[in-house]
Amino acid sequence: MPRATRSLLVAAVAAASLALVSCASAPDAGGTDAAGEGCVRMVTNSGGLEDRSFNQSTWEGLQQAEEEYGIEAQALVSTGETDLAPNVAQAVASGCGLVVTVGWELAESTLEEAGANPDTAFAIVDETVEADNVKPVVFDTAQASFLAGYLAAGVSKTGVVATFGGGNQPPVTLFMDGFVDGVAKYNEVHGTQVRALGWDKAKQDGSFTGDFEDVNKGKVMTEGFIDQGADVILPVAGQVGEGAAAAAVERGVSIIWVDSDGYETLSAEFRPVILTSVLKRTQDAMVDIVGDVEADEFTNEPFVGTLENGGVEIAPYHELEALVSPELDAEIEGLRQAIIAGDLVVESPSAP
């Protein structure tokens, strides 16, 4: 299911008094009294809570918000499609002032519950839902993936790199667009011909495993890329990417993780092959949103993570730092600053 902008005409008064704590005073004229109980509920997509990806990072952010604001956070874990709508309904029924949903799978349920519960604040991660009481939390990952693609081309010994996704969806292909453009930029600057397998940006088509959970599919696909000469692979496929890491360990190549710092979140056995990670700093966004709701300053204005605001970034090179020359690292920093300044625009049809 491709991501699409979804709209709902929810009464404008809905956003006036959203809070995590109960409102003791009467609502303002034209407003509504919030039903918050000092708590927040999160609903995962079918990837589960410990997905080494955006479910996990969203939860970590809410745990930080617990400590900072003294609220109570709980997660409702979806294990399949049939769990999604009931979990969102259960989260709303908790009476918490903020409900956080994660991923495009939850867009329809979020939209439906937002319309039925205008006094509840919603935030949806990695998806755009338009309603007066829903705040989209999205990330322009193409910016950071551009840096990762440039890096991959710069460290490749074979002149071949690759990427693949779990599904042909904008939050996935946004990474892939940036990655191949970064490779192309490296070729332009250095007069090289590094090839990027797995994604054709012009056609918006490429290699996909068809799901985000079957680790073996990721391993098989990565082995196919390695057989074609790829020595740096970017999997954009949630848990499936662990299969790519396993193949990289066996075959002596590198991977670039996404969403979280794979060096920190994956099993230690994969650390030697993780070149970097394309980060979505969902944690920081969650803390900010909880703070806004608690301060009665919640709005439905989308949070868009960029290099400029620190919402996206690439992780340290960790154990593979020796592969990155000071000159290459300086070039990447120069590109980062050019993107932030607006002198270099990374474009994608999937950009938020």
Side-chain angles (χ1 to χ4, degrees), residues 146-210:
F146 185 96
L147 303 182
Y150 196 97
L151 169 68
V155 303
S156 176
K157 303 300 184 185
T158 62
V160 183
V161 299
T163 183
F164 70 89
N168 195 337
Q169 303 153 9
V172 172
T173 59
L174 185 59
F175 282 96
M176 300 167 81
D177 282 342
F179 183 78
V180 299
D181 279 353
V183 174
K185 183 66 174 179
Y186 183 88
N187 287 334
E188 175 190 325
V189 171
H190 291 272
T192 51
Q193 295 183 335
V194 178
R195 292 188 296 137
L197 307 178
W199 184 240
D200 186 321
K201 183 181 179 183
K203 295 180 179 178
Q204 288 290 291
D205 192 24
S207 300
F208 299 95
T209 59

Side-chain angles (χ1 to χ4, degrees), residues 113 130 135 157 235:
E113 292 293 341
E130 290 186 355
K135 188 179 192 72
K157 303 300 184 185

Side-chain angles (χ1 to χ4, degrees), residues 28-113:
D28 295 334
T32 54
D33 201 9
E37 295 293 341
C39 60
V40 56
R41 293 291 181 267
M42 169 187 161
V43 180
T44 76
N45 70 1
S46 57
L49 193 60
E50 296 181 354
D51 63 346
R52 280 72 165 178
S53 187
F54 56 5
N55 284 302
Q56 186 168 336
S57 59
T58 300
W59 177 238
E60 289 171 354
L62 293 177
Q63 289 178 305
Q64 292 176 27
E66 273 192 315
E67 296 181 6
E68 186 164 338
Y69 294 104
I71 57 97
E72 177 255 335
Q74 288 187 12
L76 285 71
V77 178
S78 306
T79 58
E81 185 177 350
T82 57
D83 293 338
L84 301 175
N87 278 351
V88 179
Q90 183 180 340
V92 173
S94 71
C96 293
L98 175 63
V99 172
V100 178
T101 59
V102 184
W104 63 269
E105 292 175 291
L106 285 153
E108 296 294 343
S109 298
T110 302
L111 184 61
E112 181 178 350
E113 292 293 341

Side-chain angles (χ1 to χ4, degrees), residues 140-150 175 178-179 256 276-280 306-307 311-314 332 339 346:
D140 194 351
T141 51
Q143 293 186 351
S145 289
F146 185 96
L147 303 182
Y150 196 97
F175 282 96
F179 183 78
I256 297 174
T276 188
S277 300
V278 180
L279 304 176
K280 290 190 291 193
T306 64
L307 286 174
V312 299
E313 189 50 89
I314 59 172
I332 292 170
I339 293 171
V346 182

